[in-house]
Amino acid sequence: MELEPGIDPDRHHDPGRWLAQFAGRILVVCPRCGGCAVVVPRPGLPELRYFSELLFQPRRLTCGECGAVAEWAPELRGAGLVGVTLGGTEDPFFRRPLWLQTRCVSQILWAYNEDHVDELAAYVGARLRERGVARPTMAMFARLPRWMKASGNRSDVLAGLERLRVQSKRSTPADRSDVAHEHGDRPRPHKSMLFRGGQYQT
């Protein structure tokens, strides 16, 4: 990742980004061939007003290797839509293993896409980390596990993120990481609701 002029790689300011901001494009293991498939919002949807709406948007899974296609839509409960819960090594929509997974300091390091990898690398690599104004319970970096934030693990985590960056450019079933499978670490659903009259329904 090339840095913009004036960017200090040893300093990171957290603007309070949520994990949801990286959920617009998720690389997953294809359910048919085991290659890299992508999960994105279904085309033709209304423009987002808030990035949190990504948790409720109908999704489409497509695989460039075998042509597999799958659709997902949120559950409609009364006048509201039930959103997914982010986190863990599975895609929250189709519950497929994430394509970007690797072993790191006896843990599993994962990311949704290349931008997510870059953002994590900028944070982990910085020796000075400044917290933003967002609530710590919602901000992505505040919720990272301790092993990722420990200074003693910095070089190992950065090396793991570099492996994920390389993995993001691969797509065949033979390229699949040996840890890209279910780990039983799906977070407990919190049943977030969006009351918008069901305009995201099919």
Side-chain angles (χ1 to χ4, degrees):
M1 175 180 62
E2 296 184 2
L3 295 174
E4 298 178 8
I7 297 296
D8 183 356
D10 288 328
R11 184 174 185 174
H12 182 274
H13 175 72
D14 177 13
R17 299 187 76 179
W18 294 13
L19 181 58
Q21 292 178 259
F22 297 97
R25 179 174 174 271
I26 302 177
L27 303 179
V28 301
V29 175
C30 175
R32 180 191 292 173
C33 74
C36 181
V38 61
V39 174
V40 296
R42 195 183 63 204
L45 296 175
E47 186 174 348
L48 292 179
R49 293 187 302 175
Y50 308 101
F51 61 79
S52 58
E53 293 177 7
L54 285 166
L55 306 182
F56 305 86
Q57 281 191 314
R59 295 284 169 139
R60 178 171 294 167
L61 179 153
T62 58
C63 178
E65 290 295 312
C66 70
V69 177
E71 302 281 345
W72 175 90
E75 175 190 348
L76 182 61
R77 185 173 298 173
L81 305 176
V82 180
V84 300
T85 301
L86 300 179
T89 56
E90 293 181 15
D91 149 53
F93 302 97
F94 296 92
R95 296 183 176 177
R96 295 299 303 155
L98 298 179
W99 181 255
L100 301 182
Q101 297 189 57
T102 187
R103 290 188 178 88
C104 184
V105 295
S106 301
Q107 305 289 337
I108 301 298
L109 179 63
W110 57 268
Y112 285 154
N113 54 47
E114 304 92 323
D115 290 341
H116 192 191
V117 172
D118 288 343
E119 192 71 16
L120 289 171
Y123 176 82
V124 172
R127 299 185 183 278
L128 176 61
R129 299 165 181 169
E130 301 172 335
R131 181 176 294 179
V133 297
R135 290 181 296 166
T137 56
M138 301 304 295
M140 178 179 70
F141 294 121
R143 298 170 66 91
L144 290 179
R146 290 184 179 180
W147 65 268
M148 284 188 68
K149 299 190 277 189
S151 59
N153 291 338
R154 179 180 287 115
S155 60
D156 289 328
V157 176
L158 287 174
L161 290 168
E162 182 57 32
R163 290 194 296 274
L164 295 186
R165 187 176 287 114
V166 172
Q167 182 69 10
S168 71
K169 303 181 187 309
R170 298 173 175 168
S171 61
T172 70
D175 294 326
R176 178 178 177 177
S177 166
D178 64 344
V179 296
H181 53 78
E182 294 84 355
H183 298 286
D185 61 351
R186 186 184 309 142
R188 185 175 61 184
H190 53 68
K191 300 299 183 184
S192 55
M193 299 284 291
L194 176 68
F195 294 94
R196 295 195 62 179
Q199 68 168 311
Y200 286 148
Q201 289 297 104
T202 54

